[in-house]
Amino acid sequence: MEVHGRAALGPSTPLTPFVFSRRELRDHDVKFDVTFCGVCHSDIHQIDEDWGPGIFPMVPGHEIVGVVSAVGPACSKFAVGDRIGVGTFVDSCRKCEFCRRGDQQYCQESDTPTYNAFERDGVTPTYGGYCDQFVVDEEFAVRIPDSLDLAGVAPLLCAGITVYSPLRHWGVTTGTKVGVIGLGGLGHLAVKFAAAMGASTTVFSHSANKRDDAFRLGAREFVNTSVPNASGDESSSFDLIINTVSAPLNLTSYLDRLRLDGTLVLVGLPSRPYEVGAGELVAKRRSIAGSMAGGMRELQEMIDFCTRHAITSDVEVIDANEIADAFERTRASDVRYRFVIDATTF
Ligand code: NAP
Ligand code: ZN
Ligand code: ZN
């Protein structure tokens, strides 16, 4: 099977056209024509080796949607013509307690990332969604209802689930006071979800020109953090603050804003560690936590939630030859609010 896509041939190199093959269908595999793939900031981090050595050639992309074109003989979940999506992982051990409960992203033996990794055989590289065809075991794909726009669904597969999962885990509901740091791909979906859950949401952004969008997306307050001593609600009143920023950040002022037992959840993954003082945590029994994407059970739950609330990502659809420009604009925080590649242009 000849697959056409884009790959980085080495660290921090521009993507170039890349032709490769995918496996023949196994019993439980589905093959699908990719229609759209989102551009996640994690794609840029990994090409730039921000988190460690990468595996090259690297075909990035883990926000993949498409239409099933063939199924393996034992596939029971999907049929040709179904709309499906694949997120940040394509396999896991399937046996440990976390896999069994649908939290494959926390697999005891580690999940199999969608790209920049090896299959469970340890030698076959995984290639992501910046391409025109994909093959995956049916257990690792979700069904997408006809009512949702496919381009707008793609970013839900990583950006969406990465913020949906902590909002759920920390019990956000009517009246919860939520802060979202960074209005990018993850951040803008966090604002939409939190609003739909009934929370009162504040956006902390260093881009003053995102103010109107923050309110349109459902925020009640906007704090421009690029001005010294940014105001907003300074009292210790937040139940939950989600940090989606891709760069290092001073966390102190955000910890100060948490109420008793409040939690600062880190989902952004900068290359350098944060500095944290014990005082801010001790004072009000606050917590700092992290959260990674979401498993298959929660992915389907999020798609159902989005269907009920008619939520998709705000997207700018681009051609394959515009990826370099999209990377630059993402690096510059100039994304409104997710670039999505039209896979027919590969
Ligand atoms: P993105 O679209 O680029 O959004 C990041 C936002 O952070 C920017 O739009 C900007 O918002 C803010 N920001 C960027 N640089 C900043 C700086 N120097 N100072 C202050 N604010 C800054 O990125 P994304 O795709 O949403 O991803 C965000 C982070 O989450 C990345 O590190 C990514 O790797 C990580 N991630 C983690 C997971 C996980 O499982 N935990 C999953 C997906 C992504 P404002 O303009 O509003 O300030
Ligand atoms: Zn991602
Ligand atoms: Zn497992």
Side-chain angles (χ1 to χ4, degrees):
M1 175 191 319
E2 203 172 86
V3 183
H4 295 257
R6 292 286 187 282
L9 302 181
S12 300
T13 55
L15 300 193
T16 54
F18 182 63
V19 180
F20 59 104
S21 62
R22 295 202 184 271
R23 66 176 183 246
E24 292 308 311
L25 293 197
R26 296 177 188 151
D27 283 357
H28 289 275
D29 276 350
V30 285
K31 176 174 147 188
F32 63 97
D33 294 326
V34 179
T35 46
F36 298 101
C37 184
V39 173
C40 180
H41 207 118
S42 302
D43 302 341
I44 301 173
H45 284 306
Q46 290 179 83
I47 294 167
D48 287 348
E49 297 194 317
D50 284 347
W51 306 333
I55 299 164
F56 296 95
M58 187 190 299
V59 178
H62 57 205
E63 296 184 338
I64 314 162
V65 294
V67 178
V68 175
S69 57
V71 297
C75 178
S76 58
K77 204 170 148 190
F78 302 112
V80 172
D82 285 352
R83 292 153 39 112
I84 66 171
V86 171
T88 60
F89 54 86
V90 289
D91 208 345
S92 71
C93 88
R94 312 183 192 205
K95 305 185 298 276
C96 74
E97 65 171 298
F98 311 111
C99 285
R100 284 205 312 271
R101 70 181 201 205
D103 284 329
Q104 293 88 346
Q105 80 278 31
Y106 299 124
C107 173
Q108 198 77 49
E109 293 178 13
S110 167
D111 63 4
T112 302
T114 304
Y115 68 89
N116 195 21
F118 293 103
E119 304 262 6
R120 300 201 89 70
D121 63 11
V123 293
T124 311
T126 58
Y127 292 125
Y130 288 19
C131 66
D132 58 3
Q133 291 183 84
F134 208 90
V135 172
V136 69
D137 185 295
E138 61 180 338
E139 291 304 313
F140 295 85
V142 279
R143 179 179 302 280
I144 297 165
D146 290 339
S147 64
L148 295 178
D149 169 58
L150 265 190
V153 167
L156 300 176
L157 276 306
C158 173
I161 189 64
T162 299
V163 293
Y164 180 86
S165 185
L167 290 169
R168 273 277 176 261
H169 183 80
W170 276 276
V172 170
T173 183
T174 309
T176 308
K177 191 156 177 189
V178 174
V180 175
I181 317 174
L183 199 61
L186 270 59
H188 94 288
L189 286 167
V191 175
K192 289 191 186 197
F193 291 157
M197 291 171 188
S200 168
T201 309
T202 298
V203 168
F204 298 94
S205 167
H206 81 318
S207 305
N209 58 7
K210 293 181 181 173
R211 174 183 295 272
D212 290 349
D213 284 340
F215 290 115
R216 173 179 60 80
L217 294 163
R220 300 244 180 108
E221 194 189 10
F222 180 89
V223 178
N224 175 3
T225 58
S226 66
V227 296
N229 306 315
S231 59
D233 192 344
E234 293 292 348
S235 61
S236 306
S237 57
F238 285 88
D239 299 293
L240 184 72
I241 299 180
I242 302 185
N243 177 19
T244 75
V245 173
S246 47
L249 202 65
N250 182 344
L251 299 181
T252 306
S253 69
Y254 298 107
L255 289 171
D256 277 338
R257 285 181 161 96
L258 292 172
R259 54 177 282 145
L260 178 67
D261 290 330
T263 303
L264 174 64
V265 186
L266 308 178
V267 292
L269 286 162
S271 53
R272 280 186 279 125
Y274 297 102
E275 208 169 279
V276 176
E280 287 78 30
L281 294 174
V282 168
K284 292 196 186 305
R285 200 165 54 192
R286 294 160 171 142
S287 306
I288 296 183
S291 187
M292 185 163 72
M296 295 313 298
R297 178 190 49 77
E298 213 166 31
L299 260 180
Q300 193 62 61
E301 182 191 308
M302 175 199 64
I303 296 287
D304 296 347
F305 179 88
C306 290
T307 309
R308 279 200 309 282
H309 294 275
I311 293 175
T312 52
S313 173
D314 289 15
V315 297
E316 267 188 65
V317 176
I318 58 166
D319 287 357
N321 59 17
E322 296 175 292
I323 295 172
D325 184 49
F327 278 12
E328 268 328 294
R329 285 184 51 198
T330 302
R331 285 194 181 96
S333 303
D334 178 22
V335 45
R336 308 293 163 101
Y337 279 89
R338 197 59 142 187
F339 292 106
V340 169
I341 308 162
D342 174 351
T344 62
T345 63
F346 281 116

